[in-house]
């Protein structure tokens, strides 16, 4: 009796898979009617999330983030630059987003180009650029923040922002000194012992981060709200809303890149409520990782 049952189960699985491929929207709506998603999550539940700090040993700060299968790697390299005349006592952060073809076979054109400027806008109140100043009007830090998408399975903005924030929390600004020619140079341990150069940063230090942004992307479909969508869900139900809150749950921004469903006030309020809950989860994860690194 074993083989026939196994054959029936296989046939049933094939039928479900065929229905999912041929009628994806109907397949998902059948699950939504039961308040559950095909991956077993409730509509409001985000996927399992992990953060690993210090993923790139050669970088000044780095973090690997996984939200479900979506994977982002952020690496930060610091360089000394001449500050602008408009902001002689400030440094600069340059953000770039990289999305190689290997990360997903179904990435929609245009999405990668949109990610970097939208992520960079969230950092307006996060870092005091004056902390990146070395010598007023002469030298300041330029932080190159590169975000690499290794696996694109939905909610790319959320993962990119979280990995960028995590990498900044891990960042250690190098110790530097001014040599006899007036140039800023990295200071090795031997230089620190000899005291032969004029020290600018006596030791490595971290940035002071404030108003740390966290985000949650939701899908609006009819009367349903789905938190943290997969790429399959995004491709079938195309109305996305991304809410960005700071660590005190204050609204930073709302991003709706289009879609046929109107974002009514009640729906936005529900999305904000879900994001507040998500912020608590992400703060805990990030704090635990930073505490582990200090130990």
């Amino acid at each position: 009796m074993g083989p026939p049952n196994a054959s029936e189960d296989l046939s049933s699985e094939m039928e479900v898979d065929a229905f999912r491929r041929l009628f994806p929207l109907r397949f998902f709506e059948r699950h939504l009617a039961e308040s559950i998603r095909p991956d077993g999550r409730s509509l409001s539940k985000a996927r399992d999330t992990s953060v690993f700090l210090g993923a790139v040993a050669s970088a000044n700060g780095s973090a690997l983030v996984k939200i479900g299968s979506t994977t982002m790697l952020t690496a930060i390299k610091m360089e000394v630059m001449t500050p602008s005349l408009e902001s002689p006592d400030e440094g600069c952060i340059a953000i770039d987003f990289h999305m190689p073809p290997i990360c997903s076979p179904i990435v929609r054109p245009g999405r990668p180009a949109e990610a970097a400027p939208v992520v960079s806008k969230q950092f307006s109140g996060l870092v005091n650029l004056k902390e990146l100043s070395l010598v007023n009007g002469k030298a300041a830090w330029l932080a190159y923040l590169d975000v690499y998408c290794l696996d694109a399975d939905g909610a790319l903005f959320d993962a990119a922002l979280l990995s960028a924030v995590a990498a900044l929390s891990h960042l250690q600004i190098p110790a530097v000194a001014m040599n006899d020619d007036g140039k800023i140079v990295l200071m090795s341990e031997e230089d620190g012992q000899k005291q032969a150069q004029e020290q600018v940063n006596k030791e490595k230090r971290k940035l002071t981060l404030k108003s740390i942004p966290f985000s949650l992307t939701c899908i609006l479909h009819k009367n349903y709200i789905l938190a943290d969508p997969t790429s399959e869900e995004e491709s079938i139900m195309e109305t996305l809303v991304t809410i960005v809150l700071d660590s005190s749950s204050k609204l930073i921004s709302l991003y709706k890149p289009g879609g046929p469903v109107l974002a009514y006030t009640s729906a936005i309020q529900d999305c904000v409520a879900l994001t507040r809950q998500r912020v608590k989860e992400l703060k805990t994860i990030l704090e635990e990782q930073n505490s582990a690194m200090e130990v």
Side-chain angles (χ1 to χ4, degrees), residues 42-153:
S42 64
L43 305 190
S44 61
K45 184 173 176 58
R47 292 168 291 177
D48 291 340
T49 302
S50 61
V51 176
F52 176 64
L53 301 178
V56 182
S58 59
N60 298 113
S62 61
L64 179 72
V65 165
K66 288 180 68 67
I67 300 179
S69 294
T70 297
T71 307
M72 294 283 176
L73 174 67
T74 295
I76 303 175
K77 288 293 286 184
M78 306 292 286
E79 286 188 6
V80 177
M81 70 168 192
T82 302
S84 66
L85 296 176
E86 294 78 12
S87 304
D89 60 343
E90 293 184 356
C92 183
I93 298 178
I95 299 177
D96 204 359
F97 186 80
H98 307 270
M99 199 161 186
I102 60 169
C103 72
S104 174
I106 57 173
V107 172
R108 287 179 289 176
R111 291 292 296 280
E114 295 173 1
V118 177
V119 169
S120 63
K121 287 180 181 178
Q122 314 311 319
F123 291 150
S124 57
L126 175 63
V127 177
N128 182 2
L129 296 179
K130 294 183 185 297
E131 285 195 35
L132 297 177
S133 177
L134 291 169
V135 180
N136 196 324
K138 294 184 178 180
W141 286 113
L142 169 59
Y144 287 104
L145 194 153
D146 289 286
V147 184
Y148 299 87
C149 181
L150 306 182
D151 194 340
D153 188 27

